Amino acid sequence: MRLSVLILSAVFAPVLVSAADTVQAWTVDSLVKIFPDDPAGTSRLGNAPVLVPRNGHASVQIALRAPAAVSGINVEIAPAAGVEVQVRRAGYVPVGSSPPSTPFDELARPAPSVFPDPLLVDFPFDLQPNRTESMWITVHAPAAASPGERTLTARITSGGKPLASVPFRVRVANTAVPAQRTLNVTNWFQLEQTYLTRHFKQAAEEERYWELLGNIGRVMAEHGQSAMITPVFSLAKPVVKDGRIEFDFSRLDRWVQVFDKAGIRTIEGGHLLGRASEYFSPLVVPSYVVENGQAVERSLDPSDPAAGKALADFTSALYAHLKTRGWTTRYIQHVHDEPHDDENPVYERYAKLIKQNMPGIPLLDAVGLDQDMSFFVADIWVPVLGSFDHSFDKISDHLGRGGQAWFYTCVFPQGRYLNRFTDLPAIKTRLLHWFNFRHGFTGFLHWGGNYWGPEPFDNVQAVINDNKTLLPAGDNAIVYPDPQRNTILSSIRLEQMREGIEEYEILAELAKKDGAKARALAQRAIPNVNDYVRDVAAFRAIQAELLGEPVPPVNAVQPSKAAVAPSTAAKPQTWFVDALTKVFPDDAAGANRLTQ
């Protein structure tokens, strides 16, 4: 018996704006996510200019759609006085499931679907029929740029033949992003050579490997990252002399110098304690010990006296080297990630040992505040967002004792909280650092910088914890590999992070002159710990006030869960499709029509 299903679709009269009546092109706010099935004109940007602070960045999108395939498309923007422009193309990645604790109205759209994220640089490209693509335009205004408005024009061509011209306005604000950044930002990167060679074959060559590290550091520094997690234990080479272990830190030196040159100054020492495997497995102390005259690595039980001695020897040697290099004022040290339950007494004992051997070095770690914090002797507390709604008193007490507080995201929070998952509205990522300012945090940490699976563009939901935990989309990485250029590609989420970081710095600078105004703006953007401005036009009004610019009229178009092209009459189309054929939202009318 052959089964079939009836398909209902709607065909919309196209809104043609291109010179050649082929490509339809329109501008869209960068906080609105564009999808392949968006009809022409969806979320069209109004007449307000794109605002960019001096020494800062702003983004806008140009959406392209055509009824037939168009090959060899290029997008170029002529230079404008005093601003720099970069053009990339937003790629789509598949997301199989939405974060389980997140309501549909907190998503850009429900999964399964494809979502825009990686920013590709492969021009020219082929535009598929009835598939909307986003051209991502980044505008940078140098510190010396003159305030005022410019009109830029994107010229879209195919094989050199003009197709469309799309003008848009950019206003450079008088307000500038401070040259001296104060927000601490770290996304953890897996940078071991053996790991990177899975995605960058050339990284097997030593010099290409160090070149790759520099390129990764440069991209992240350009996007506001201030620290790079540094595996100090594995970078140290143990050498046995007279029966004792000494350490050669020359590889650490090169690491620091590479990231120095890239623009990342804070050395974030990696964790010195670990677990045997998953989260609830026993604690271990990675150690170098002498066996048969050789230094060998062992994972020792923390109750073993040899573990304490090995860690004391290592941290003493590391501290002496940092002092020699003059790096103690830019170094911070992790002890153990997310200590809990029976781990806490061990954490306290070893953290005190590290403090004793590395005096003056701040300790920091992710930690849950839903426990007695007397064991936690770290200087920098890093609780997960969403866990401290009723624990601000603990954070305030810690700050009052001279401590610092950052926050982190990792799998959680979900629900109505801010985060940086691929399938969330872009504004939820943008506002993470407004949250920093709003609640007095001075740093942000996320574990997943580049923890890619085998297919980074085809699977953005990694599985961790011995195949027990399916991660929300994008939790494992915020960049994508670009082996052809021996570097990484940015993402829509990373661009929003950068602009949010710059706005944090502007808020912090404003607070020095008018603290009440800075606090009021932040409170309008983030009224509460799990509440934030969701309307794009409303956020742009707050942003304009922050930059000291006229508030634009409410003409930014909100993203629609089921976008409909304006001023078009929908005519339903129906056709039968075999039940063994999967139907997708971006299927063209009549796709896979069942024949008699």
Side-chain angles (χ1 to χ4, degrees), residues 22-84:
T22 302
V23 173
Q24 306 157 71
W26 65 101
T27 53
V28 177
D29 194 292
S30 64
L31 287 169
V32 176
K33 292 194 172 181
I34 294 173
F35 292 93
D37 56 346
D38 282 349
T42 299
S43 302
R44 185 189 302 274
L45 186 64
N47 294 323
V50 177
L51 297 180
V52 55
R54 292 184 300 113
N55 196 35
H57 299 79
S59 304
V60 67
Q61 300 175 93
I62 296 175
L64 302 181
R65 189 176 179 89
V70 183
S71 61
I73 285 186
N74 259 315
V75 179
E76 296 180 343
I77 297 178
V83 297
E84 302 162 357

Side-chain angles (χ1 to χ4, degrees), residues 94 97 195 411 447-448 450-456 458-465 467-477:
S97 61
Y195 171 79
V411 186
W447 77 277
N450 72 330
Y451 282 78
W452 304 306
E455 301 293 339
D458 295 328
N459 184 1
V460 296
Q461 290 183 271
V463 178
I464 61 171
N465 290 336
N467 292 325
K468 296 175 183 175
T469 304
L470 175 67
L471 294 175
D475 194 56
N476 64 307

Side-chain angles (χ1 to χ4, degrees), residues 322-338:
L322 295 173
K323 285 188 68 175
T324 299
R325 292 294 184 185
W327 292 341
T328 54
T329 57
R330 46 187 292 215
Y331 188 87
I332 55 180
Q333 179 65 61
H334 286 282
V335 181
H336 179 58
D337 192 37
E338 297 179 340

Side-chain angles (χ1 to χ4, degrees), residues 273 285 302 304 307-308 311 335 346-354:
L273 305 184
V285 183
D304 186 341
L311 187 59
V335 181
V346 179
Y347 181 96
E348 181 179 11
R349 177 158 55 92
Y350 276 89
K352 288 179 177 178
L353 182 151
I354 295 167

Side-chain angles (χ1 to χ4, degrees), residues 124-140:
F125 74 98
D126 296 337
L127 182 64
Q128 301 302 314
N130 297 311
R131 179 181 172 90
T132 303
E133 301 277 359
S134 162
M135 305 301 105
W136 189 271
I137 316 300
T138 299
V139 179
H140 173 237

